[in-house]
Amino acid sequence: MAKCAILYKSKYGSTRQYAEWIAEETQGDLFVLPKVTAAQLADYETLIIGGGLYAGQVSGISFLKKNFEALKTKKLIVFSVGASFDNEETVEKMKKENFPPEMWNSITFFHLHGALNYSAMNFFDRTLMKILVSSFKKKPPEERNAQMQYMIDTFGQNTISLNRDFIKPIVEAAKN
Ligand SMILES: Cc1cc2nc3c(=O)[nH]c(=O)nc-3n(C[C@H](O)[C@H](O)[C@H](O)COP(=O)(O)O)c2cc1C
């Protein structure tokens, strides 16, 4: 397998755990964003960049956007980690809301379902979650999607939904 660098930004640990599993399976090197420079990545052929999703934004990807010209000849894989389920709609939304169209064809995108750890959340994040879930509750049940219902049902509980199998498509993409 080509030499891999796994770069990640994680607030509550879900992305870190996935990045560590990916590094084990690809025998890649781990880097924590934003403490990385493009020059440090010169010898890597594959970059796997992961970040937690917060209000639809993937943490840490400003590094890739700023250094795209220098990095675009490498194999680029991006994964988001969030409460959203992994499906085509989530991946498309993440791609379109976080990257300009000229980058779409140069990157392979993935989304991994992450934990929601209410007991670790700071006051600000817990308040944001409360506002978000209240807005879902105001919708009539027939207008809620599965994601909204899941957030309502699990509000206040720690959901541990990390699964090592979820990284398989990313490891495969890094190999091919
Ligand atoms: C304030 C806040 C906003 C969030 N916004 C989203 C979101 O827009 N989409 C999503 O799928 N998950 C969202 N989440 C869930 C996180 O992405 C999820 O907990 C993820 O596992 C965090 O990864 P990390 O621990 O590596 O930072 C949000 C969580 C918090 C606390």
Side-chain angles (χ1 to χ4, degrees), residues 9-16 52-56 81-84 111 114-117 121 125 128-129:
K9 187 164 183 187
S10 179
K11 195 165 182 182
Y12 294 109
S14 294
T15 311
R16 184 180 60 239
L53 263 181
Y54 290 90
V81 178
S84 304
H111 175 77
L116 261 177
N117 190 350
M121 271 178 215
D125 283 348
L128 283 179
M129 290 306 293

Side-chain angles (χ1 to χ4, degrees), residues 21-33:
W21 283 334
I22 293 167
E24 275 171 35
E25 297 205 14
T26 58
Q27 282 146 27
D29 295 328
L30 274 174
F31 294 86
V32 179
L33 289 166

Side-chain angles (χ1 to χ4, degrees), residues 13-66:
S14 294
T15 311
R16 184 180 60 239
Q17 177 63 85
Y18 282 126
E20 286 172 358
W21 283 334
I22 293 167
E24 275 171 35
E25 297 205 14
T26 58
Q27 282 146 27
D29 295 328
L30 274 174
F31 294 86
V32 179
L33 289 166
K35 294 181 206 151
V36 188
T37 63
Q40 281 176 283
L41 303 171
D43 291 342
Y44 294 94
E45 289 165 55
T46 301
L47 304 184
I48 304 176
I49 300 134
L53 263 181
Y54 290 90
Q57 302 300 301
V58 187
S59 313
I61 51 147
S62 56
F63 170 81
L64 178 57
K65 291 205 241 181
K66 274 188 218 139

Side-chain angles (χ1 to χ4, degrees), residues 126-137:
R126 211 171 312 141
T127 306
L128 283 179
M129 290 306 293
K130 205 171 174 179
I131 294 167
L132 188 68
V133 170
S134 302
S135 74
F136 296 158
K137 276 186 181 165

